């Protein structure tokens, strides 16, 4: 076996279980995804987690599990309530219409959402129990959007990919979703997220910006320590399978019966699931318009419309069925003659082999969804017609529209335009579809899967650092901690000791955090190194026996001493930088300038997000030019750009503390954002193997350990304080070289202004 093991999560297994008398029967389902994955499954170990397509009572589950295991499938058993809430309720009644831009058909209920969360968690549990660090996990589609992040929360650290088979809607539409943050965060647990077209990537990026405030590049989103790569990978079909089917009897029979029945006439084919996104009523109205405006086609053209029954328990689908029935009746009533009926309506699941025969018989395919992630019917038609060539009238709102050179693109809402395009295409005698055929033959479904996995492997090669979860009571760390005689603890505040709050002033320390800090300080030298002002730190932590560093390293306060300041922003920065920032604030409604002693900051949290991000990029390039070879650094934080003296960073602060605490024989530092990386770097450089560097919120390439959240870190710090308290031979109090090194006391700094 070459290749890494692949674990696939998709709602439905490639095998459907059905109850047969007293036993169960396994039937292979032949979806596009099954074909796409069968080739990549060949060279590696492979397992597929999903729902077996039926409610299986508790007593039968072991048998069904065994039957499925033989086919590489691992069942997620769902109760009837789960199927209703997760599948019909949230997936198909909320996300499906919303992602297709149909907000008025999207009906959110709390109970359906809870079922969705529950079922996503079942998938995550099942996969987390199996996944090994070197595996690849590939999660499919909108039904399982929470799974990637849920896997991270369960400590899964292997490469996770996610592919969305349907459109991602514009951010205006997406923002109407009541659980918009959760769904985005769920997807962002992946290392690589794939879409059919760049339009969807761009919508996804805008949603991340507007909903979560996360800026991104066209192919990359950085969120905390994690990098999420984005890719455009339009799915394909298997043209060889189509060619094989075309040779079968059922296809040949279908072909010749249609050609005989409509000899001398033009055949138009429509093949869709009976879904409101597929634009079937609009298509029928366009055909009606053609018959009305161009009488010669009334008896010389037939529309064969196959509509597979779909989601019949959902109200909107029942309404759609009634509407389609009515339209077909009306048009046929109006234009039928004893010898000819213009619409042949087949409301059935037709075998794929028969469909191929129908495609082959058709002069024109009419594929006019009002919104469609990709649309495989367009590709199947071109493949089935092969060298015969064929006309494809294709909605510009199908993902396939970007990829089919030579298709006649139409706006499906414009009935007259579609009717006219259809009329034109019916006139063509030998349409050339060779360019489309080339695309279909090259972009096969298995090539698509290979490409996805190659991208997933490439994007994760770099992010598998050998860091481990922080567990202070487990060896070897426990022994190292217990035997440390002069330990030093350096902690960031926001996001590390405390989770973020919408309003920064609300994030005061919990009683538990304060108690743990003072317990730790009985056995170690403890510093909180924060971006907060001196005043805030004094107010929240000033009474504890710990050192404080404010404004990202601008000033340091040893226990019981006054604040010592480092470089301030003055002179050049004030004369040149301040006016520039003020000009950008004037040009960007909602942006503002903040002056601190250590820095000047340009905040754009309240500006229109896209414009703010654009202006921030402009400002950064101007600042870079202006500050070349000057002792200032430009820091890009969360929706803020700060210009500060090059000597003020958390790295410099950590360096200074390490210099003062030379005898510290063990250093533990923890942080969670970009500014903490400087601190991690300093500890790694100066203390190497004597340091434990812990990242909060996931793995980070610069750290040795990680915790899931600030709450987990606090728990571990609490255990650490207990561990030290239980030591039989208590170490001496932490050496305090600081007092000796204390030469630059300048008194307490003035309050930092937060305008
Ligand atoms: P679907 O919405 O299901 O897929 P589509 O891409 O057209 O849409 O695939 C439909 C498949 O079902 C085709 O293979 C077609 O042959 C088959 N089919 C349609 N009608 C049928 C009938 N009456 N009987 C039998 N078979 C029928 C979702 C997204 C799409 C995206 C795919 C793949 O909505 O936009 O292209 O996933 O990513």
């Amino acid at each position: 076996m070459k290749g890494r093991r692949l674990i696939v999560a998709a709602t439905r297994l490639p095998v459907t279980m059905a109850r047969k008398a007293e036993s169960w029967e396994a039937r292979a389902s032949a979806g596009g995804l099954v074909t796409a994955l069968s080739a990549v499954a060949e060279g590696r170990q492979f397992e597929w987690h999903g729902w077996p397509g039926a409610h299986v009572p508790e007593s039968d589950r072991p048998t069904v599990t065994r039957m499925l295991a033989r086919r590489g499938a691992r069942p997620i058993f769902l109760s009837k309530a789960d199927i209703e809430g997760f599948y019909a309720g949230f997936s198909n009644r909320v996300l499906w219409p919303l992602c297709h831009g149909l907000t008025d058909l999207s009906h959110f209920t709390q109970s359906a959402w809870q079922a969705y969360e529950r079922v996503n968690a079942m998938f995550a549990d099942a996969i987390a129990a199996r996944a090994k660090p070197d595996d690849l996990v590939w999660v499919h589609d909108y039904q399982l959007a929470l799974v990637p992040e849920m896997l991270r929360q369960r400590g899964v650290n292997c490469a996770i990919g996610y592919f969305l088979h349907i459109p991602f809607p514009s951010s205006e539409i997406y923002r109407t979703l009541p659980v918009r943050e959760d769904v985005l965060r769920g997807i962002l647990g992946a290392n690589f997220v794939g879409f059919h077209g760049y339009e969807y990537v761009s919508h996804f990026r805008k949603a991340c910006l507007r909903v979560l405030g996360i800026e991104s590049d066209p192919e990359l989103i950085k969120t905390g320590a994690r990098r999420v790569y984005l890719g455009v990978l339009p799915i394909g079909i298997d043209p060889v399978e189509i060619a094989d089917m075309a040779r079968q009897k059922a296809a040949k029979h279908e072909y010749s019966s249609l050609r005989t029945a409509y000899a001398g006439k033009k055949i138009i084919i429509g093949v869709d699931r009976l879904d409101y996104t597929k634009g079937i009523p609009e298509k029928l109205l366009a055909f009606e318009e053609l018959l009305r405006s161009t009488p010669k086609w009334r008896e010389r053209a037939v529309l064969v419309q196959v509509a597979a029954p779909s989601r019949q328990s959902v109200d909107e689908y029942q309404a759609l069925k009634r509407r389609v029935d009515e339209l077909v009746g009306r048009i046929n009533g109006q234009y039928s003659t004893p010898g000819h009926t213009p619409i042949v309506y087949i409301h059935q699941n037709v075998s794929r082999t028969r469909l191929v025969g129908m495609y082959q018989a058709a002069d024109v395919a009419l594929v006019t969804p009002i919104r469609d992630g990709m649309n495989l019917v367009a590709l199947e038609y071109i493949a089935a017609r092969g060298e015969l060539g064929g006309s494809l009238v294709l909605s510009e709102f199908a993902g396939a529209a970007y990829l089919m050179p030579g298709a006649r693109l139409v706006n499906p809402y414009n009935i007259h335009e579609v009717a006219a395009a259809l009329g034109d295409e019916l006139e063509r005698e030998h349409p050339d579809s060779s360019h489309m055929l080339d695309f279909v033959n090259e972009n096969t479904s298995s090539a698509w899967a290979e490409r996805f996995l190659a991208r997933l492997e490439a994007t994760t090669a770099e992010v598998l650092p050998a860091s481990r979860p922080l567990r202070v009571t487990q060896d070897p760390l426990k022994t190292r901690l217990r035997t440390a005689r002069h330990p030093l603890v350096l902690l960031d505040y926001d996001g590390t000791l405390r989770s973020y709050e919408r309003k920064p002033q609300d994030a005061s320390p919990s009683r538990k955090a304060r108690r743990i800090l003072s317990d730790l300080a009985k056995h170690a030298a403890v510093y909180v190194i924060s971006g907060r002002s001196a005043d805030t730190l004094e107010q929240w932590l000033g009474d504890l026996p710990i050192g404080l560093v404010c404004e990202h390293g601008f000033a340091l306060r040893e226990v019981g001493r006054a604040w010592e300041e480092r470089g301030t922003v003055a002179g050049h920065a004030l004369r040149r930088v301040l006016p520039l920032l003020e000009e950008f604030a004037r040009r960007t409604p909602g942006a503002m300038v903040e002056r601190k002693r250590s820095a000047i900051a340009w905040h754009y949290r309240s500006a229109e997000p896209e414009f703010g991000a654009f202006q921030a990029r402009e400002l950064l390039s101007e600042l870079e030019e202006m500050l070349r070879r000057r002792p200032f650094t430009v820091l890009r934080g969360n929706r803020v750009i700060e210009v500060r003296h090059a000597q003020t960073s958390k790295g410099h602060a950590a360096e200074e503390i390490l210099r003062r605490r030379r005898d510290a024989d063990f250093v533990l530092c923890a942080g969670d954002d970009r500014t903490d990386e400087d601190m991690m770097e300093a500890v790694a450089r100066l203390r190497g193997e004597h340091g434990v560097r812990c990242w909060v919120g996931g793995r980070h390439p610069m750290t040795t350990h990680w915790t899931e959240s600030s709450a987990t870190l606090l728990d571990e710090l609490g255990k650490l304080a207990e561990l030290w308290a239980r030591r039989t031979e208590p170490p001496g109090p932490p050496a305090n070289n600081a007092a000796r090194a204390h030469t630059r006391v300048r008194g307490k700094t003035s309050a930092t202004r937060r305008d």
Side-chain angles (χ1 to χ4, degrees):
M1 287 272 165
K2 63 179 169 60
R4 288 152 73 175
R5 180 166 74 150
L6 175 61
I7 300 180
V8 166
T11 308
R12 294 291 297 266
L13 284 175
V15 182
T16 299
M17 299 303 295
R19 181 122 197 125
K20 201 78 190 288
E22 287 307 289
S23 63
W24 285 87
E25 190 185 69
R27 229 177 308 121
S29 25
L33 194 55
V34 182
T35 322
L37 294 179
S38 54
V40 291
E42 267 165 29
R44 57 175 91 231
Q45 283 183 51
F46 175 80
E47 64 184 51
W48 186 316
H49 294 247
W51 178 52
H55 171 67
V56 180
E58 210 62 64
S59 53
D60 292 357
R61 290 182 181 178
T63 314
V64 168
T65 304
R66 269 196 306 279
M67 289 173 76
L68 288 169
R70 286 197 285 273
R71 296 159 179 257
R74 305 185 76 88
I76 306 287
F77 293 114
L78 301 180
S79 69
K80 286 187 177 143
D82 283 339
I83 296 164
E84 178 53 34
F86 152 75
Y87 192 59
F90 191 75
S91 301
N92 291 341
R93 291 199 79 209
V94 179
L95 285 181
W96 174 266
L98 183 93
C99 287
H100 288 86
L102 302 163
T103 38
D104 49 347
L105 299 183
S106 184
H107 306 294
F108 179 86
T109 64
Q110 198 61 34
S111 61
W113 164 242
Q114 282 160 358
Y116 184 83
E117 279 186 303
R118 203 165 50 239
V119 172
N120 273 249
M122 288 164 73
F123 273 83
D125 287 338
I127 295 168
R130 307 269 312 159
K132 304 229 164 50
D134 205 34
D135 289 343
L136 300 172
V137 174
W138 188 357
V139 181
H140 286 270
D141 228 359
Y142 62 103
Q143 301 94 342
L144 302 179
L146 306 182
V147 171
E149 178 58 26
M150 284 178 162
L151 286 171
R152 297 296 181 207
Q153 286 164 359
R154 285 157 177 74
V156 173
N157 188 40
C158 66
I160 301 178
Y162 176 80
F163 191 85
L164 184 69
H165 288 261
I166 65 173
F168 195 93
S170 83
S171 66
E172 292 313 298
I173 288 174
Y174 182 75
R175 280 159 65 203
T176 62
L177 179 67
V179 289
R180 57 198 184 176
E181 288 93 353
D182 308 62
V183 171
L184 284 181
R185 291 225 180 269
I187 295 174
L188 289 177
N191 300 93
F192 179 59
V193 181
F195 301 85
H196 287 306
Y198 191 74
E199 190 187 354
Y200 311 146
V201 175
S202 146
H203 288 163
F204 181 71
R205 290 180 55 213
K206 280 186 192 158
C208 288
L209 177 61
R210 284 168 180 266
V211 175
L212 302 176
I214 300 176
E215 289 173 19
S216 57
D217 295 325
E219 291 196 312
L220 175 64
I221 298 186
K222 288 186 199 153
T223 152
R226 190 171 301 143
R227 284 162 167 254
V228 182
Y229 289 86
L230 308 173
V232 178
L233 292 123
I235 197 171
I237 56 162
D238 182 0
V240 175
E241 186 193 22
I242 303 256
D244 286 346
M245 288 194 282
R247 282 190 287 273
Q248 289 177 27
K249 226 157 75 197
K252 288 188 171 155
H253 174 75
E254 200 66 48
Y255 173 81
S256 51
S257 55
L258 275 172
R259 291 277 29 148
T260 313
Y262 298 101
K265 298 181 181 179
K266 292 276 184 162
I267 300 175
I268 306 158
I269 185 86
V271 174
D272 307 273
R273 273 189 309 104
L274 187 52
D275 191 293
Y276 48 72
T277 61
K278 302 290 181 184
I280 300 171
E282 290 79 0
K283 185 193 304 197
L284 294 172
L285 289 170
F287 186 57
E288 182 183 42
E289 172 56 26
L290 175 75
L291 300 183
R292 189 199 61 77
S293 60
T294 321
K296 76 168 186 185
W297 293 121
R298 290 180 189 168
E299 286 194 75
R300 289 187 46 217
V302 63
L303 168 62
V304 179
Q305 175 63 51
V306 186
S310 186
R311 305 175 191 174
Q312 287 157 302
S313 65
V314 179
D315 292 350
E316 282 78 13
Y317 287 75
Q318 293 163 8
L320 174 71
K321 182 180 177 303
R322 286 194 295 274
R323 171 112 174 98
V324 170
D325 286 349
E326 203 180 280
L327 281 171
V328 170
R330 181 177 95 194
I331 300 165
N332 276 344
Q334 174 103 20
Y335 293 105
S336 288
T337 62
H340 183 79
T341 304
I343 301 176
V344 174
Y345 177 50
I346 305 171
H347 179 227
Q348 290 162 28
N349 261 313
V350 175
S351 77
R352 286 171 48 77
T353 313
R354 276 183 65 201
L355 276 186
V356 169
M358 291 182 180
Y359 288 139
Q360 285 196 309
D363 302 281
V364 181
L366 193 50
V367 182
T368 53
I370 54 171
R371 202 78 181 121
D372 211 336
M374 176 70 183
N375 193 292
L376 298 179
V377 169
L379 278 61
E380 289 168 359
Y381 170 72
I382 294 299
R385 291 286 292 183
E387 299 301 324
L388 284 174
S391 284
L392 175 62
V393 177
L394 178 61
S395 163
E396 62 185 68
F397 299 117
Y402 294 100
L403 306 160
M404 300 295 263
R408 175 75 185 253
L409 297 189
V410 291
N411 172 0
Y413 292 95
N414 187 339
I415 304 301
H416 293 274
E417 183 193 334
V418 178
L422 183 56
D424 290 350
E425 294 303 315
L426 288 173
E427 296 290 353
R428 292 174 69 184
E429 274 317 317
H430 299 290
D432 174 17
S433 51
S434 55
H435 291 305
M436 293 191 265
L437 190 58
D438 287 346
F439 169 76
V440 170
N441 284 334
E442 277 157 27
N443 186 57
T444 60
S445 56
S446 52
W448 165 80
E450 294 284 5
R451 270 204 311 274
F452 184 94
L453 292 177
R455 291 285 298 274
L456 177 60
E457 290 198 47
T459 53
T460 51
E462 70 198 68
V463 287
L464 292 169
S467 75
R468 55 185 68 182
L470 183 74
R471 302 278 182 268
V472 297
T473 48
Q474 282 175 20
D475 270 329
L477 186 56
K478 182 178 171 188
T479 307
R480 285 174 70 197
L481 287 163
R482 240 197 353 221
T483 52
R485 300 201 55 82
H486 300 297
L488 172 63
V489 179
L490 307 177
L491 301 166
D492 165 48
Y493 182 75
D494 290 282
T496 299
L497 289 174
R498 178 72 163 83
S499 56
Y500 288 99
E501 291 292 333
R502 211 172 270 271
K503 291 198 200 130
Q505 63 268 31
D506 292 344
S508 57
S510 62
R511 209 176 293 165
K512 177 177 171 184
R514 283 176 46 84
R515 180 178 48 72
I516 289 173
L517 286 173
S518 46
D519 286 352
L520 285 173
K522 290 178 194 152
H523 312 280
V526 179
Y527 290 80
V528 168
I529 303 180
S530 162
R532 297 271 183 173
S533 70
D535 273 4
T536 307
L537 292 183
E538 287 275 8
Q539 190 190 333
W540 287 349
L541 304 168
D543 59 325
L544 301 179
I546 61 174
L548 299 174
V549 172
C550 70
E551 292 191 30
H552 299 106
F554 168 62
L556 168 68
R557 199 211 71 170
E558 296 285 359
V559 184
R561 302 257 165 185
W563 286 94
E564 305 162 54
E565 287 180 8
R566 303 179 74 87
T568 53
V569 272
H572 179 80
L574 284 186
R575 273 197 315 279
R576 305 258 334 261
V577 175
L578 188 61
L580 178 70
L581 299 197
E582 283 171 347
E583 188 204 326
F584 267 80
R586 276 193 298 276
R587 274 165 47 183
T588 318
M592 54 165 259
V593 176
E594 181 193 14
R595 275 186 66 178
K596 306 191 236 182
R597 286 177 61 79
S598 63
I600 323 177
W602 183 77
H603 291 271
Y604 60 104
R605 180 167 296 284
S606 308
E608 197 282 326
E610 268 178 74
F611 187 52
F614 171 77
Q615 294 288 71
R617 279 194 294 275
E618 293 280 294
L619 177 59
L620 277 176
S621 71
E622 293 208 21
L623 283 171
E624 200 177 301
E625 187 59 33
M626 183 179 277
L627 296 174
R628 194 165 288 162
R629 289 191 292 278
R630 303 269 177 180
F632 295 102
T633 47
V634 179
L635 202 123
R636 188 165 190 189
N638 190 351
R639 322 231 77 214
V640 59
I641 290 174
E642 274 195 17
V643 177
R644 54 179 47 247
H645 196 277
Q647 286 297 309
T648 51
S649 74
K650 289 190 178 182
H652 285 97
E655 223 175 300
E656 174 66 19
I657 295 167
L658 288 169
R659 195 178 60 73
R660 294 179 182 192
R661 303 265 174 191
R662 273 209 191 91
D663 59 349
D665 53 356
F666 185 90
V667 183
L668 167 66
C669 76
D672 79 304
D673 79 18
R674 210 177 323 183
T675 60
D676 299 321
E677 290 178 356
D678 296 340
M679 171 165 79
M680 302 295 172
E681 189 277 327
V683 172
R685 182 161 41 83
L686 298 172
R687 286 308 155 92
E689 74 280 16
H690 297 297
V692 161
R693 304 182 301 277
C694 178
W695 199 258
V696 178
R699 287 178 200 240
H700 188 287
M702 294 173 76
T703 63
T704 55
H705 291 73
W706 60 280
T707 65
E708 277 160 21
S709 63
S710 52
T712 332
L713 178 75
L714 263 194
D715 287 345
E716 291 300 316
L717 292 178
K719 287 182 201 160
L720 177 58
E722 279 171 30
L723 185 85
W724 278 335
R726 282 201 306 268
R727 282 198 291 209
T728 42
E729 189 190 321
N736 194 350
N737 302 337
R740 291 192 295 278
H742 207 107
T743 50
R744 294 183 295 128
V745 179
R746 291 184 199 157
K748 184 172 179 257
T749 60
S750 60
T752 300
R753 216 151 51 84
R754 268 189 185 272
D755 299 290

